[in-house]
Amino acid sequence: QLQLQESGPRLVKPSETLSLTCTVTGDSISGSSYYWGWIRQPPGKGLEWVGSIDPSGRVYSNPSLKRRVTMSIDTSKSQFSLNLNSMTATETAVYYCVAVRRGSTPYYWGQGTLVTVSS
Amino acid sequence: QSALTQPRSVSGSPGQSVTISCTGTSSDIGAYNFVSWLQQHPGKAPALIIYDVSERPSGVPDRFSASKSGNTASLTISGLQAEDEADYYCSSYVDSPIFVVYGGGTKLTVL
């Protein structure tokens, strides 16, 4: 069974870049049939898809984020990463990394990390 | 406003059954058999309990069942238990460039 764990700063200043990493254990990040993605949830609110990266490195991101998303995979470390630039206070949220199967099914989830955007 | 519409809350007594609806359109739920349901307990990450409309991941009790008719998906929880009290979210695959849409979530209270 896959296990995912987010890591990265918990506090980001407005206009700066959020950088998060997800470490995957339990299966090969490169040889598996999963896409790797990020979903966020503002406090007390619902879920929002941020973006996904497929095993070849192609990135798919939410159009509402207006090309602010960069994602990458490091197979040697079994990690994938998210960079989201020009952060604003409204993007304070719990950020989850997920293993995604066909049909955008978020099969496995990390425990989530609360990122606060504040000066 | 969420793309998929769920009731904000439902409730039931232990042992009873409850059904949560999730209404979309012919571009999401109506177009694809990729509807998922997630269970989220307070302070915890969501967990997948249904995928591909009605399939249960290993370890999910068969008290959880789901179906789809037209543009509406439904999750039924039978034999309610106190531990079922949680928020439930539906999601559906959609075509590029969005790929997935979510419901706003339903809070289940076990009375």
Side-chain angles (χ1 to χ4, degrees):
Chain A
Q1 178 166 329
L2 281 178
Q3 293 187 321
L4 295 86
Q5 177 68 58
E6 303 89 350
S7 59
R10 304 291 183 93
L11 181 64
V12 176
K13 290 182 169 54
S15 81
E16 293 192 345
T17 297
L18 168 67
S19 295
L20 293 174
T21 296
C22 183
T23 302
V24 180
T25 55
D27 196 0
S28 167
I29 196 171
S30 58
S32 72
S33 58
Y34 296 100
Y35 284 29
W36 308 101
W38 295 91
I39 295 170
R40 66 184 181 182
Q41 183 175 35
K45 296 188 177 181
L47 302 168
E48 181 184 31
W49 174 66
V50 175
S52 302
I53 184 167
D54 70 18
S56 72
R58 181 174 180 180
V59 176
Y60 308 84
S61 61
N62 192 322
S64 70
L65 298 175
K66 295 183 172 59
R67 298 181 177 276
R68 297 165 46 218
V69 171
T70 305
M71 297 181 65
S72 61
I73 292 179
D74 186 337
T75 56
S76 67
K77 296 181 179 178
S78 199
Q79 295 176 334
F80 63 99
S81 299
L82 167 71
N83 281 355
L84 181 59
N85 62 32
S86 304
M87 292 287 286
T88 67
T90 60
E91 296 182 285
T92 292
V94 177
Y95 285 74
Y96 297 100
C97 61
V98 294
V100 183
R101 284 174 59 170
R102 64 172 194 155
S104 297
T105 301
Y107 213 87
Y108 295 106
W109 293 67
Q111 65 183 28
T113 186
L114 175 61
V115 175
T116 301
V117 183
S118 174
S119 55
Chain B
Q1 185 173 352
S2 301
L4 306 178
T5 301
Q6 298 180 235
R8 296 202 62 172
S9 64
V10 297
S11 62
S13 299
Q16 288 185 334
S17 295
V18 296
T19 296
I20 300 172
S21 62
C22 173
T23 302
T25 70
S26 57
S27 297
D28 40 62
I29 291 177
Y32 304 100
N33 288 324
F34 291 126
V35 178
S36 299
W37 289 90
L38 304 166
Q39 178 191 60
Q40 186 177 33
H41 289 107
K44 300 295 186 181
L48 184 71
I49 57 171
I50 295 287
Y51 67 98
D52 292 359
V53 176
S54 60
E55 299 296 316
R56 285 188 308 277
S58 175
V60 174
D62 59 7
R63 302 186 295 104
F64 293 88
S65 63
S67 62
K68 183 186 87 166
S69 178
N71 299 335
T72 299
S74 300
L75 171 71
T76 297
I77 309 170
S78 57
L80 268 180
Q81 300 181 2
E83 67 206 50
D84 299 333
E85 187 162 290
D87 292 326
Y88 291 83
Y89 293 90
C90 60
S91 73
S92 174
Y93 175 82
V94 293
D95 206 353
S96 173
I98 302 292
F99 296 110
V100 62
V101 289
Y102 296 102
T106 299
K107 180 175 180 59
L108 168 62
T109 300
V110 180
L111 301 171

